[in-house]
Amino acid sequence: MSRQVFRLPDLGEGTVSAEIVAWRAQPGDRIAEDQPLVEMSTDKAVVEIPSPYSGRVLSVTGKPGDVIAVGAELATFELAADDGAPAPAA
């Protein structure tokens, strides 16, 4: 098992932050890669961000209405050894 932190990606057009609209997964939930994780609102659109990993959600940052900066921690996952996380260097 390994832990992986997912940070808010650049959502395009110079966006520096986005507002959480709704979480689609909560801590403790098992989630598959590409399954909806969170809805975020930018100045121009509401965007659904998929999970980049398969595994168990350990934590999420913020609640609906909170503004998160691009590059800030959005969620932490616990991945099984075969869930696609890069293997640590020997």
Side-chain angles (χ1 to χ4, degrees), residues 22-89:
W23 284 102
R24 299 294 178 219
Q26 298 296 322
D29 290 351
R30 292 211 50 86
I31 191 167
E33 184 175 357
D34 294 328
Q35 183 178 338
L37 175 65
V38 63
E39 272 185 52
M40 304 292 293
S41 176
T42 68
D43 292 337
K44 298 186 179 192
V46 173
V47 179
E48 191 170 74
I49 299 176
S51 173
Y53 309 109
S54 292
R56 187 168 59 93
V57 179
L58 293 178
S59 66
V60 296
T61 301
K63 60 188 181 308
D66 288 351
V67 175
I68 306 294
V70 168
E73 185 176 316
L74 195 56
T76 303
F77 297 85
E78 180 178 69
L79 311 178
D82 62 347
D83 280 341

Side-chain angles (χ1 to χ4, degrees), residues 2 85-90:
S2 67

